Amino acid sequence: AFRTFLYGKAWFVFTLFVFIGAQSILGHAKSSPEVRISMFCARLFIYLFSMGQMLFAHTRNILRDCRRGTLVKIWRCKIPEYLCQWQGFASLLLTVFLLIMLCLEPVLHCMQNNEGRLFTGKCAGSEDVRYPYSVVSAAAMLMYFLLLSDLSVFSTRVSAFVLICTRVVSEVALFLFGLTFFVLAFACAVSALEQDNPDFSDIPNSALQLYKITLGMFSGSNFDILTEYPALMIAIFIYVVTTVIFMLNLLIAQLNCSYQATYQDMLGFARLNRGKIVTETMPSVAKSRWDRFVRSLRLDERVEFGEGDIGL
């Protein structure tokens, strides 16, 4: 099972390197026939062997769950059981993103009008698809790296750290919910003030600036301008005290408590997670390899009693 899992992840890492080369390296290199051919071959490899393999795997898993009747009802829809695991859902999202990339592929849109440049993706016919293609490509890259986190099972400490990160995400979500509430409240409040500051001219702009203040992206010169609007400055001061001083420190305290509560059990959870992956990988092991492994154990041969063993 370990060897099967390792081979599968090694192939996944290789396809990720090819995808990085095609999208993040060759895509920004100086255009030349060699670069365009290399980029086209890399993308073709991804579409055929990575996307094709995932399409086959998802089709097999969906048909298997449908035949067994292992469907999970979410609201009014029934979905295959394997999609309830984040790895299966993330893999499905990656497959969808790659399919969209194939449909938006600029090289295909430039086939009929490549202006004499073989495998170019920059022509009049691809102007409308290049930006959507880049957005979907970035989303697919994130899904690749998200699925790469499965490699954490090779180290118990790293696996435990990943498990802790997933457990404290709920605390971060609560913080973002509270922050959004205060941003909306203060954005509506400052928009109701009699002031002509362009940064706080309406609710969307005010909300954006308030988020920037929380994240430390609001420039000092913009703070200096606030001195011309006393009421606006007082409102921003109250917002900073509420969110930056109070809520951020509350988030730190929540994360600290959650970490301490989970730390005691994290190694056990990591070992259970590794065992779960082993049991999930076992069905993919070839029967001949499994029979060879069982024969190597020589369980049918008698062994001598160990020292102090009375045979009970």
Side-chain angles (χ1 to χ4, degrees), residues 50-311:
S50 181
M51 184 186 72
Q53 181 188 28
M54 286 187 285
L55 279 174
F56 174 78
H58 285 294
T59 303
R60 180 189 59 195
N61 292 335
I62 291 173
L63 292 177
R64 180 199 61 198
D65 287 348
C66 290
R67 284 197 299 265
R68 295 178 179 177
T70 54
L71 302 176
V72 178
K73 188 174 183 180
I74 299 180
W75 294 316
R76 297 185 179 180
C77 299
K78 291 185 177 181
I79 63 173
E81 186 181 29
Y82 85 99
L83 291 179
C84 294
Q85 301 178 357
W86 72 266
Q87 293 94 338
F89 185 71
S91 178
L92 180 63
L93 281 180
L94 177 58
T95 307
V96 173
F97 288 149
L98 292 177
L99 281 171
I100 296 175
M101 287 176 60
L102 178 60
C103 297
L104 298 177
E105 179 58 53
V107 176
L108 298 180
H109 286 78
C110 292
M111 280 295 184
Q112 296 181 351
N113 184 21
N114 57 16
E115 301 175 358
R117 294 177 297 174
L118 184 63
F119 299 138
T120 183
K122 297 181 180 180
C123 65
S126 65
E127 290 181 356
D128 296 335
V129 300
R130 283 204 299 266
Y131 179 74
Y133 176 84
S134 66
V135 173
V136 179
S137 174
M141 189 72 71
L142 293 177
M143 288 297 105
Y144 264 113
F145 276 95
L146 179 61
L147 290 170
L148 195 64
S149 62
D150 265 355
L151 293 177
S152 63
V153 297
F154 291 112
S155 172
T156 304
R157 290 179 61 86
V158 176
S159 180
F161 174 75
V162 173
L163 289 174
I164 288 179
C165 291
T166 57
R167 286 181 173 269
V168 300
V169 165
S170 60
E171 306 296 337
V172 179
L174 288 174
F175 165 77
L176 293 177
F177 175 78
L179 177 63
T180 302
F181 173 80
F182 281 106
V183 166
L184 180 61
F186 278 88
C188 294
V190 299
S191 298
L193 291 174
E194 184 64 30
Q195 46 89 16
D196 57 357
N197 190 314
D199 291 334
F200 300 91
S201 58
D202 52 26
I203 294 178
N205 283 330
S206 299
L208 177 61
Q209 302 307 319
L210 292 174
Y211 275 120
K212 291 171 67 175
I213 290 173
T214 306
L215 298 176
M217 300 170 60
F218 201 68
S219 64
S221 58
N222 289 335
F223 275 114
D224 294 337
I225 297 176
L226 293 179
T227 58
E228 302 176 4
Y229 310 94
L232 178 60
M233 185 177 64
I234 293 173
I236 297 302
F237 175 78
I238 297 174
Y239 171 80
V240 170
V241 172
T242 305
T243 58
V244 179
I245 298 178
F246 174 71
M247 291 196 62
L248 281 178
N249 285 282
L250 180 61
L251 173 64
I252 294 172
Q254 286 179 311
L255 294 179
N256 187 31
C257 292
S258 297
Y259 182 85
Q260 290 180 352
T262 311
Y263 180 78
Q264 299 176 356
D265 302 324
M266 67 176 183
L267 293 178
F269 283 127
R271 294 189 180 100
L272 288 175
N273 188 43
R274 178 181 292 184
K276 177 184 176 183
I277 292 177
V278 171
T279 56
E280 291 176 348
T281 308
M282 286 300 298
S284 61
V285 178
K287 186 177 184 302
S288 58
R289 180 182 297 178
W290 173 255
D291 293 339
R292 187 166 60 251
F293 169 73
V294 173
R295 287 194 300 269
S296 67
L297 298 178
R298 295 184 293 181
L299 298 176
D300 56 341
E301 297 181 8
R302 297 180 178 181
V303 296
E304 295 292 337
F305 288 143
E307 184 179 355
D309 191 347
I310 60 176

